[in-house]
Amino acid sequence: MFSLSEENYLKSIYHLEAIHGKGISTNSIAKKLETKASSVTDMIKKLAEKEVLVYKKYQGVSLTKLGRKEATKIVRKHRLWEVFLVEKLNFSWDEVHDVAEQLEHIKSPKLIDELDVFLGFPKMDPHGDPIPDKDGKFQKIEKKLLSTLEENKIGICVGVNDSSSDFLKYLDKNNISLGQKIKVLSKESFDGSSTILINSKEITISKKISNNIYIQS
Amino acid sequence: MFSLSEENYLKSIYHLEAIHGKGISTNSIAKKLETKASSVTDMIKKLAEKEVLVYKKYQGVSLTKLGRKEATKIVRKHRLWEVFLVEKLNFSWDEVHDVAEQLEHIKSPKLIDELDVFLGFPKMDPHGDPIPDKDGKFQKIEKKLLSTLEENKIGICVGVNDSSSDFLKYLDKNNISLGQKIKVLSKESFDGSSTILINSKEITISKKISNNIYIQS
DNA sequence: AAATAATTTTAGTCTTGTCTAAAAAATTAT
DNA sequence: ATAATTTTTTAGACAAGACTAAAATTATTT
Ligand SMILES: [Mn+2]
Ligand SMILES: [Mn+2]
Ligand SMILES: [Mn+2]
Ligand SMILES: [Mn+2]
């Protein structure tokens, strides 16, 4: 059994590995968890003891199979709860993350699988992220950043890279949501900003924005 | 804001006050929380600081209005989650308590009130206990212990005094559930056991059992 | 190849919540 | 009223998880 804190470390390392591959640095974990590197060192020693990750001094860490399995369970819980909040409790997609951060730590063998049944085995969470099934399996969907789309090309919004309330509210304000068609009208090479057509409206978005929107094209 | 541990103390003291009135002893709190009296002393000092209870050395504690309000919130959450688990996730009444013990600590202004809406503002939890509304109000239902019912009198089961899985499974096994009519056929003065008619079947139950079933008559 | 900078680890401290053992106070029995 | 018992509090310790400051290691410049 893992403590709330241990679970948060596992999840963070899992997400970091998804982006950067094996060998996650102490500092990057510290940044993600908004804690100090020294605290991370303490904790990863403990997690190495528990054999959910491999740790060599100064070399960063990598999850073991067991560690990945545990992390996947937490991600599954997080995303299923997010679906529940949006589908059943009238939460909007920018309100769910913080509550799901708490709910993902509830321990009950039955709870999460029944929730899955109740929700009809959803494959995606409200932000377009895949939900692992009971066995931890999920299909990776084809997606790329809007920032990589060339001028005059069209894509469909299928996810976001940042689930913060601030960013999602910005998207709402500009009528950007999952399933929306987005056409890149022009790109400014100076600052990376681009003008896009969405909902038959032209808007200009910064590089930071287009770097946080996933599309399928 | 209160920690998980503080919330558990508040809830326990609240429940003890409901039975024994003001001035709850250190020992009784320790017993309820399965901890040591010395730990309780430490914690009630902290809670007194936070003005949720009044504490005088060697005199036990009493909740303040604020303390009662906080405790009621937690009870509301606990019972609403229990309803959710039974009504929506196919839990039986003996499976919900432990999960609700975890869920009751989730902090979200919106979550619990939306859950209330989603469930249709239930007035009772699966064990017949009243659910406080948004303002902490709830009606106390008229009920007494089955053990106080005289021979040949009839009552309707409206609640249980013990929500442990073991006890509830015993009730299931004997087809005793909320809403059931129960007639006391005879009472044995020697050990307090009684023979009752339920579901047109005669069964003999111990004093301990009849002391944990609430009826309306 | 040094020197400098950045990263990581260690050492020591703190807070929360718990515990045991001993002391103090209150209660009960004689 | 005194003694014995029970309850409660205090004192000191510990584990988890975090922090700061300093030391050790690795990476980057010059
Ligand atoms: Mn999320
Ligand atoms: Mn999400
Ligand atoms: Mn319960
Ligand atoms: Mn209940």
Coordinates of all heavy atoms in Angstrom, one line a residue, chain B residues 78-79 82 97 125-127 129 163, ligand 4:
Chain B
H78 N -20.4 12.1 4.6 CA -20.3 10.6 4.8 C -21.6 10.0 4.3 O -21.6 9.0 3.5 CB -20.1 10.3 6.3 CG -20.0 8.9 6.6 ND1 -18.7 8.3 6.8 CD2 -20.9 7.9 6.8 CE1 -18.9 7.0 7.1 NE2 -20.2 6.8 7.1
R79 N -22.7 10.5 4.7 CA -24.0 9.8 4.4 C -24.4 10.0 3.0 O -25.0 9.1 2.4 CB -25.1 10.4 5.4 CG -24.8 9.9 6.8 CD -25.7 10.3 7.9 NE -25.3 9.9 9.2 CZ -25.8 10.3 10.3 NH1 -26.7 11.2 10.4 NH2 -25.3 9.8 11.5
E82 N -22.5 7.5 1.1 CA -23.1 6.2 1.3 C -24.3 5.9 0.4 O -24.4 4.9 -0.2 CB -23.5 6.0 2.7 CG -22.3 5.8 3.7 CD -22.6 5.3 5.1 OE1 -23.8 5.5 5.5 OE2 -21.7 4.8 5.7
H97 N -19.5 1.8 4.4 CA -19.0 2.6 5.5 C -17.5 2.9 5.4 O -17.1 4.1 5.5 CB -19.3 2.0 6.9 CG -18.9 2.8 8.0 ND1 -19.6 3.9 8.4 CD2 -17.8 2.8 8.8 CE1 -19.0 4.5 9.5 NE2 -17.9 3.8 9.7
D125 N -29.7 8.0 4.9 CA -28.6 7.1 4.3 C -29.0 5.7 4.3 O -30.1 5.3 4.8 CB -27.3 7.4 5.0 CG -27.1 6.6 6.3 OD1 -28.0 5.9 6.7 OD2 -26.0 6.7 6.9
P126 N -28.2 4.8 3.8 CA -28.6 3.4 3.7 C -28.9 2.7 5.0 O -29.5 1.6 5.1 CB -27.5 2.7 3.0 CG -26.8 3.8 2.2 CD -26.9 5.0 3.1
H127 N -28.5 3.3 6.1 CA -28.7 2.7 7.4 C -29.8 3.4 8.2 O -29.9 3.2 9.4 CB -27.3 2.8 8.2 CG -26.2 2.3 7.4 ND1 -25.2 3.2 6.9 CD2 -25.8 1.1 7.0 CE1 -24.3 2.5 6.2 NE2 -24.7 1.2 6.3
D129 N -30.0 6.6 8.8 CA -29.6 7.8 9.5 C -29.9 9.1 8.6 O -29.7 9.1 7.4 CB -28.1 7.8 9.8 CG -27.8 6.7 10.8 OD1 -28.4 6.7 11.8 OD2 -26.8 5.9 10.5
S163 N -23.0 0.2 12.2 CA -22.9 0.1 10.7 C -21.8 -0.8 10.3 O -21.3 -0.8 9.1 CB -22.7 1.5 10.1 OG -23.9 2.2 10.2
Ligands
MN4 MN -24.6 5.3 7.4

